[in-house]
Amino acid sequence: MTTTTSPDAARPAGATTSTGPAAPAPWSALVNAALLGTERRQPPVAVRPGQGAAAALLDAAAVSTVRRRAALRPAPAGERPAPAPADPRPVLPPAARRRLALLLADRGGSGGGSRRGTAPDLTELLPQWLAAANGHGYRAPEALLPALLDAARARTDLRPAALALAGPRALWLARLNDAWKFVLRGSGGPAEPSAAADPGRVRRLWEEGLFAERVALLTALRRRDPREGLELLVTTWATERAEDRLLFLDSLRDTLAATDEPFLEQALSDRSRNVRATAAELLSTLPGSALAARMARRAHAHVSADRSADPAVIVVEAPHECDAGMQRDGVAPKPPSGRGERSWWLGQLVDAAPLEGWCERFAGRTPAAIVALPVADDWRTELHDAWCRAAVRQRNAEWARALLGAPAAPAQDAEVAPAGSSRDLTKLLTVLPADERARWVAEFIAAHGLSDAFRMLGVCAVPWAEPLGRSVVDALDIARDAGSYPWSFSGVMGLAERCLDPAAADRLDMLTAVTDEPEGASPGSGGYWAEAFQRLVGTLRLRATMRDELAPPSGDPDGRSAR
């Protein structure tokens, strides 16, 4: 039997026909031939005279690869990002812009090692620089925004000031880079919406905006009209996540008003324990609230004065149970480990009761006179601790002053407590006006030295007002004369670098010289102290330079010519 075939049927793929080039062999056919080998399978390509089958196969594969790549269809273009929002604030002056670049470039620090040398620590100056720049109302240069957001990602303490300087463009950039997604959940940093925004835009932003935008919107509305902001929050309160309800509730703290009471009373029944506790805390800071009155009645029922004693004695009878009403009003029934139930319940009642009510309860005595009264049955510490928490929560300076006592009192009477304790002098100090706070800490240092004053210094206004600055420097000089190593006071020295008035640099020059070491001093301490004071003076002068760099040009108080 004879089979007739077309001449083209036996021609390998890729060969030239009388009408032009043949269609290229499929890529799968080339791969199969390569896998099986040209000795077992004739490659589906034209083999030129003198060319081996394997070389022809490789040539065809190379041509096919180029052809396939050249013919690829491009992927559909992604949606172009919306333009960055406008930021009308003035840009930084050129010198301040260069300074910010240096501070951000050095944010990793100068490396390890216990000896810092005399160079200022730029990393620790960045927060102060950001605060000063925001105080002038500047915006960050566009080119430095990525580095600024990277710094804020690495250091949570920088975030509020860094995001404020970055402005609305921080949110715009955060949508384009997952590394900065913390901005989308932050609060208080990106620019607040205008208080004059139209109602439709406000509603749309509240329902569709990112969490940071919603918090900023609520804050802006609350500052204009607390009732308006609360009405907006109520519209979606029931559908918010528990963690968002908690943060929204906490954002009401700075603008708390009597009109918030009904909403907060409802929040006492919230399904989230943290939301309930925060609502109770906020209500307790409203002295006229129903919750404050209920807590006062409970607390006064357990604390009274025994007038038959001379002098009068405070008598305490702690509660025997934590009923449902107490729990709804924020009293946690289960005490922490090592704490008795009754003292735990009593403390919560007293620190939620309005402090003004105790003066009436104790026959018109002043807070100082009440604090001075003896307390029976070893309840003094528990009662005074609760009053301390109440003074901090209610921002009552008169009670804080009474509980602090005299700064020059013996240390055992001052009852210096560790961080986190309810009997924390540092927390009480935050209630006092800034100038009074500085005077109190200065007198405390003069009487007790620096060992117990570090945390107190951290809550004093910057730059330190006199006599606080002089008191700190005098205490450091005394420590040097005693022959101690300066790194024993490295924390205080670091605070002094950031908080002393830069104007003090010239009068501190005398401390930069190496002095003779006293007998029994630590070896080499004189040189180390001189180095530490040189760094202090250098840092103060750098801070003065940074302050001058941020100042608007002469005759332009708003800095508009820096655009």
Side-chain angles (χ1 to χ4, degrees):
M1 179 176 175
T2 304
T3 302
T4 304
T5 60
S6 164
D8 290 341
R11 184 180 291 112
T16 302
T17 68
S18 59
T19 60
W27 179 254
S28 58
L30 297 177
V31 172
N32 289 336
L35 290 174
L36 292 174
T38 55
E39 294 180 353
R40 299 179 57 190
R41 170 171 292 187
Q42 176 70 21
V45 297
V47 180
R48 297 192 304 271
Q51 182 185 37
L57 177 63
L58 292 175
D59 286 347
V63 171
S64 180
T65 299
V66 172
R67 182 184 292 114
R68 292 172 69 233
R69 289 180 177 176
L72 281 178
R73 292 183 177 180
E79 183 180 352
R80 296 182 64 181
D87 191 340
R89 297 176 297 172
V91 298
L92 290 166
R97 195 178 314 152
R98 291 190 293 271
R99 181 69 61 189
L100 176 58
L102 289 173
L103 293 172
L104 292 173
D106 193 66
R107 64 185 176 86
S110 55
S114 59
R115 189 163 182 171
R116 290 176 49 197
T118 60
D121 188 347
L122 300 184
T123 302
E124 292 304 319
L125 293 180
L126 180 56
Q128 192 172 111
W129 187 97
L130 290 171
N134 285 324
H136 284 287
Y138 291 123
R139 62 179 169 90
E142 290 81 355
L144 294 179
L145 282 173
L148 185 61
L149 292 181
D150 282 342
R153 179 184 61 176
R155 289 180 57 179
T156 56
D157 63 307
L158 292 178
R159 288 182 183 177
L163 296 183
L165 188 69
R169 294 176 178 179
L171 276 174
W172 182 81
L173 283 172
R175 295 188 185 99
L176 305 175
N177 188 341
D178 287 341
W180 301 324
K181 63 183 179 182
F182 69 89
V183 179
L184 305 181
R185 295 291 300 173
S187 61
E192 295 177 352
S194 169
D198 64 274
R201 179 177 177 274
V202 167
R203 184 73 183 191
R204 187 164 55 253
L205 183 59
W206 178 251
E207 293 178 350
E208 302 174 5
L210 297 168
F211 183 77
E213 294 172 319
R214 301 178 72 208
V215 170
L217 173 64
L218 179 62
T219 302
L221 292 177
R222 290 279 298 180
R223 287 175 180 167
R224 184 178 72 176
D225 183 353
R227 188 187 298 273
E228 182 182 4
L230 183 63
E231 288 173 354
L232 184 67
L233 177 59
V234 169
T235 60
T236 59
W237 177 258
T239 59
E240 303 287 355
R241 300 187 305 172
E243 56 266 36
D244 290 349
R245 293 200 306 277
L246 179 62
L247 291 173
F248 283 136
L249 200 61
D250 196 60
S251 71
L252 306 181
R253 190 179 303 273
D254 293 338
T255 52
L256 201 61
T259 53
D260 298 329
E261 183 178 357
F263 171 74
L264 294 174
E265 278 283 347
Q266 280 190 324
L268 291 176
S269 302
D270 194 272
R271 56 187 180 274
S272 165
R273 178 175 60 85
N274 290 332
V275 171
R276 295 195 302 270
T278 301
E281 180 188 351
L282 293 176
L283 282 168
S284 70
T285 64
L286 290 173
S289 68
L291 180 138
R294 294 193 297 268
M295 299 302 264
R297 286 195 297 271
R298 294 174 180 129
H300 293 176
H302 296 288
V303 181
S304 60
D306 181 2
R307 295 184 177 85
S308 63
D310 188 20
V313 175
I314 298 178
V315 178
V316 175
E317 177 64 30
H320 291 273
E321 65 172 340
C322 183
D323 58 37
M326 291 168 60
Q327 293 183 44
R328 183 180 183 275
D329 285 344
V331 178
K334 186 175 180 180
S337 178
R339 186 83 179 273
E341 284 184 334
R342 297 181 65 197
S343 64
W344 172 244
W345 299 333
L346 174 74
Q348 294 179 83
L349 295 180
V350 173
D351 72 34
L355 288 165
E356 290 80 0
W358 293 110
C359 297
E360 181 180 351
R361 179 67 172 161
F362 291 106
R365 286 181 171 87
T366 64
I370 295 172
V371 170
L373 290 175
V375 183
D377 301 325
D378 296 327
W379 282 102
R380 181 179 186 275
T381 299
E382 189 68 48
L383 183 61
H384 282 213
D385 279 3
W387 278 337
C388 286
R389 295 192 297 271
V392 173
R393 179 183 295 182
Q394 298 173 33
R395 312 307 294 173
N396 191 307
E398 188 177 6
W399 272 88
R401 202 172 288 120
L403 291 160
L404 279 167
Q412 62 268 26
D413 295 337
E415 296 188 39
V416 178
S421 169
S422 59
R423 185 70 170 144
D424 191 344
L425 300 187
T426 300
K427 293 180 180 178
L428 286 172
L429 281 169
T430 63
V431 182
L432 300 182
D435 55 346
E436 182 181 356
R437 190 186 317 161
R439 288 195 303 271
W440 198 97
V441 176
E443 293 180 30
F444 183 91
I445 291 173
H448 307 295
L450 291 167
S451 57
D452 292 318
F454 177 70
R455 294 182 60 250
M456 299 179 194
L457 289 170
V459 299
C460 292
V462 179
W464 289 336
E466 295 299 347
L468 178 56
R470 191 177 298 275
S471 179
V472 171
V473 173
D474 289 346
L476 289 171
D477 199 19
I478 290 172
R480 175 173 67 171
D481 290 343
S484 303
Y485 274 129
W487 47 75
S488 301
F489 301 91
S490 59
V492 175
M493 187 66 79
L495 277 177
E497 292 170 15
R498 300 189 296 276
C499 302
L500 271 177
D501 190 334
D506 290 341
R507 67 178 174 84
L508 297 181
D509 262 336
M510 65 180 69
L511 300 177
T512 61
V514 179
T515 59
D516 294 333
E517 296 174 7
E519 185 177 351
S522 302
S525 62
Y528 288 119
W529 273 107
E531 189 176 87
F533 279 118
Q534 289 168 19
R535 183 174 61 251
L536 172 59
V537 171
T539 302
L540 294 180
R541 287 179 172 147
L542 175 59
R543 285 175 51 210
T545 301
M546 288 165 44
R547 178 191 59 197
D548 294 341
E549 291 171 346
L550 284 166
S554 178
D556 183 23
D558 295 328
R560 298 295 169 182
S561 65
R563 288 180 179 275

